[in-house]
Amino acid sequence: MRVRFAPSPTGALHIGSARTALYNWLLARGAGGTLVLRIEDTDRARSTAENVDHILEALDWLEIDYDEGPISQVARTERHQEILHRLLDEGHAYRSTATAEDVKAYKAQHGADRGFRGEAQDSGAVRLHVPDDGATVVHDVIRGDTTFAHVHLDDPVIARADGSVLYNFAVAVDDLDAGITHVVRGEDHLSNTPKQLLVLEALGADQPIYAHLPLLHGPDGKKLSKRHGAASVQELRDAGFLPEAVRNYLALLGWGDADDETIIPTQQLVERFSLERVSRNPAQFDERKLRWLNGRYLRALPAEELTERLEQFTGRSGLADAVAISQEKLQTLADFDPLAGFIFDGPADDPKAREKWLDEDGRAALADVQAALEPLDPFTLESVQPALEGVVAARGAKPKQVFQPIRVALAGTAISPGIFETLTVLGRDESLARIENALRP
């Protein structure tokens, strides 16, 4: 098996393209095959070296490796020209100066659904001859057979008048030369497939196995875009998602195995994945579900590994104690700073939290907490928890009427890790200093 991932470097790697890369990677790794990375950079106006770097960076973060490439399509220009002249010499293609208006006039004369047929000329763009009879059938593992009657297909332009080849021609030649056996890509490419097959047929080549993946939609059923949240791999990375969780989630967007599991480690994905179980229906990308899944992965990490990842993500160091008390509340790496950043940066400034919890009653409870904590030695979870529970009991209060004022004093907001654990991580002196500061008029 030889598969390829062939992105166009016209922007960041879209989540839908990342899923295509993943499916190709899973196929290759599961079958002991080869994954070829080809950069389809024929759009010189939009293809940039920076965008190529973005694609490579995204694949590296997702831990999707490849066996051959990256191969620049533009770098294969000499080969494309060789094949183009071969098709011209063999009569499979011809030059034509026909314009869009000429095509329109042809259809007005012969019928709107009749494919354009031109006459060979000495100059102009290069068009591929399409037979009048028969049909090109795309055999698709996911969608079944799709038939394109030749009578409805225009003779496609495969090269401009200046000799530069067009996308569908270059793709067909590149797939043939790379020995690609399976073409797995988005269903938006389905309309391109008959044009590519006609090129392969003219070259006497066999048809690869095709699988056109359903498109990704947002929760509202519309095509996935930035309005649904993250739209690129880098945005997911910067939002604090784990690559292994993203791989798991992307794999399930349109595919599922017989066990209908949700948490499937990558190695199991490699072993189980098959094109036959990919749905024809559009898949729905929901960032809330990804957050939930990411949280499951994140909380399953050993504390030491999570600490290392968080230190790399935040640029902070010495996070071990704060991570230990925060892990159960995190869904992404980016959740850490809003939850526990106050441990290092000091209390935040949340006027609403202060107004709600540091009113007269809250301050009175906080004063009792101060008195209960001051004599503690050692200042540990085993001593802090009963001391605070004693304050709750003595005041005849609900726990939150005591614990929330403490939380606001320590964190500046009403959100933090567990209050007993937070106090012990901050330590006696820092905790009492923050409480004293909150009690000042």
Side-chain angles (χ1 to χ4, degrees), residues 42 73 80-81 84 125-126 156-173 199:
T42 52
Q73 198 166 53
H80 296 153
Q81 292 300 315
L84 184 67
V126 179
V157 177
I158 58 175
R160 302 175 183 89
D162 64 6
S164 58
V165 300
L166 270 63
Y167 169 80
N168 284 310
F169 175 78
V171 166
V173 174
V199 173

Side-chain angles (χ1 to χ4, degrees), residues 135-150 153 187 189-195 197 207 210-212 280:
T136 292
V137 181
V138 179
H139 304 294
D140 191 291
V141 177
I142 298 170
R143 304 176 62 86
D145 287 354
T146 303
T147 301
F148 296 86
H150 291 156
L153 299 178
E187 67 176 17
H189 283 285
L190 181 60
S191 62
N192 291 322
T193 306
K195 301 171 188 176
L197 285 176
Q207 179 177 148
Y210 285 95
H212 289 92
R280 291 182 58 174

Side-chain angles (χ1 to χ4, degrees), residues 1-224:
M1 174 183 288
R2 288 178 64 84
V3 295
R4 47 72 155 186
F5 175 55
S8 298
T10 55
L13 188 65
H14 187 270
I15 291 169
S17 297
R19 183 191 59 169
T20 299
L22 175 65
Y23 280 12
N24 278 284
W25 183 82
L26 291 173
L27 280 174
R29 296 296 169 259
T34 299
L35 174 59
V36 178
L37 175 62
R38 182 170 71 229
I39 305 298
E40 296 188 338
D41 50 1
T42 52
D43 184 347
R44 303 311 295 160
R46 300 173 61 206
S47 299
T48 67
E50 182 181 16
N51 286 335
V52 172
D53 289 342
H54 286 324
I55 290 170
L56 299 180
E57 178 185 69
L59 292 175
D60 182 61
W61 181 78
L62 282 170
E63 298 171 359
I64 294 177
D65 59 343
Y66 42 91
D67 305 294
E68 296 178 14
I71 300 168
S72 164
Q73 198 166 53
V74 166
R76 289 178 43 78
T77 297
E78 186 174 337
R79 173 61 172 166
H80 296 153
Q81 292 300 315
E82 175 188 339
I83 297 298
L84 184 67
H85 286 97
R86 172 182 158 186
L87 292 182
L88 284 166
D89 292 342
E90 294 178 355
H92 294 296
Y94 63 96
R95 295 192 182 277
S96 170
T97 60
T99 64
E101 287 301 317
D102 293 328
V103 173
K104 185 177 179 180
Y106 182 93
K107 291 179 180 291
Q109 180 181 353
H110 295 88
D113 62 347
R114 179 67 168 87
F116 173 76
R117 301 290 181 264
E119 298 291 335
Q121 298 173 282
D122 293 333
S123 62
V126 179
R127 288 182 179 269
L128 187 72
H129 277 298
V130 176
D132 285 330
D133 300 326
T136 292
V137 181
V138 179
H139 304 294
D140 191 291
V141 177
I142 298 170
R143 304 176 62 86
D145 287 354
T146 303
T147 301
F148 296 86
H150 291 156
V151 69
H152 301 310
L153 299 178
D154 295 337
D155 285 353
V157 177
I158 58 175
R160 302 175 183 89
D162 64 6
S164 58
V165 300
L166 270 63
Y167 169 80
N168 284 310
F169 175 78
V171 166
V173 174
D174 291 345
D175 283 347
L176 175 60
D177 285 356
I180 301 302
T181 61
H182 296 68
V183 176
V184 181
R185 57 190 180 187
E187 67 176 17
D188 51 328
H189 283 285
L190 181 60
S191 62
N192 291 322
T193 306
K195 301 171 188 176
Q196 295 166 18
L197 285 176
L198 285 166
V199 173
L200 292 174
E201 183 179 352
L203 294 171
D206 294 332
Q207 179 177 148
I209 295 171
Y210 285 95
H212 289 92
L213 307 175
L215 299 181
L216 296 187
H217 289 178
D220 58 2
K222 297 180 180 179
K223 187 177 179 181
L224 185 66

Side-chain angles (χ1 to χ4, degrees), residues 89-413:
D89 292 342
E90 294 178 355
H92 294 296
Y94 63 96
R95 295 192 182 277
S96 170
T97 60
T99 64
E101 287 301 317
D102 293 328
V103 173
K104 185 177 179 180
Y106 182 93
K107 291 179 180 291
Q109 180 181 353
H110 295 88
D113 62 347
R114 179 67 168 87
F116 173 76
R117 301 290 181 264
E119 298 291 335
Q121 298 173 282
D122 293 333
S123 62
V126 179
R127 288 182 179 269
L128 187 72
H129 277 298
V130 176
D132 285 330
D133 300 326
T136 292
V137 181
V138 179
H139 304 294
D140 191 291
V141 177
I142 298 170
R143 304 176 62 86
D145 287 354
T146 303
T147 301
F148 296 86
H150 291 156
V151 69
H152 301 310
L153 299 178
D154 295 337
D155 285 353
V157 177
I158 58 175
R160 302 175 183 89
D162 64 6
S164 58
V165 300
L166 270 63
Y167 169 80
N168 284 310
F169 175 78
V171 166
V173 174
D174 291 345
D175 283 347
L176 175 60
D177 285 356
I180 301 302
T181 61
H182 296 68
V183 176
V184 181
R185 57 190 180 187
E187 67 176 17
D188 51 328
H189 283 285
L190 181 60
S191 62
N192 291 322
T193 306
K195 301 171 188 176
Q196 295 166 18
L197 285 176
L198 285 166
V199 173
L200 292 174
E201 183 179 352
L203 294 171
D206 294 332
Q207 179 177 148
I209 295 171
Y210 285 95
H212 289 92
L213 307 175
L215 299 181
L216 296 187
H217 289 178
D220 58 2
K222 297 180 180 179
K223 187 177 179 181
L224 185 66
S225 67
K226 283 185 176 293
R227 70 175 177 274
H228 298 112
S232 72
V233 171
Q234 273 87 347
E235 286 174 313
L236 292 179
R237 178 200 63 192
D238 295 345
F241 290 98
L242 305 180
E244 59 267 44
V246 173
R247 290 195 300 271
N248 187 160
Y249 185 69
L250 290 179
L252 297 177
L253 291 180
W255 172 86
D257 67 0
D259 294 333
D260 198 29
E261 294 180 56
T262 300
I263 309 293
I264 308 179
T266 300
Q267 185 52 44
Q268 291 186 32
L269 289 173
V270 169
E271 295 166 0
R272 300 183 192 183
F273 182 79
S274 70
L275 290 173
E276 287 75 14
R277 294 195 65 86
V278 176
S279 171
R280 291 182 58 174
N281 300 318
Q284 191 175 97
F285 179 87
D286 187 337
E287 195 166 320
R288 292 175 301 174
K289 292 181 180 179
L290 175 57
R291 280 184 60 85
W292 172 84
L293 182 65
N294 196 76
R296 291 283 301 271
Y297 269 87
L298 192 149
R299 290 189 291 277
L301 287 175
E304 297 80 4
E305 183 176 350
L306 177 57
T307 298
E308 182 178 340
R309 294 205 197 191
L310 276 168
E311 289 183 344
Q312 183 177 11
F313 182 80
T314 63
R316 298 180 185 273
S317 59
L319 300 186
D321 291 342
V323 170
I325 67 173
S326 303
Q327 186 164 6
E328 288 305 308
K329 290 191 174 185
L330 300 179
Q331 285 193 309
T332 72
L333 299 177
D335 290 344
F336 178 77
D337 264 356
L339 178 68
F342 71 90
I343 293 174
F344 311 95
D345 301 334
D349 183 16
D350 184 344
K352 291 184 178 179
R354 289 200 310 271
E355 182 179 348
K356 180 174 182 179
W357 295 109
L358 294 182
D359 57 6
E360 186 176 345
D361 288 340
R363 289 166 61 82
L366 198 56
D368 289 347
V369 166
Q370 183 183 40
L373 293 179
E374 279 181 335
L376 295 184
D377 187 17
F379 197 83
T380 63
L381 188 65
E382 291 73 21
S383 63
V384 166
Q385 182 169 346
L388 294 186
E389 289 173 344
V391 173
V392 173
R395 293 182 63 82
K398 296 178 180 179
K400 69 177 181 180
Q401 292 174 314
V402 174
F403 297 162
Q404 285 298 82
I406 304 173
R407 184 167 274 118
V408 175
L410 301 179
T413 73

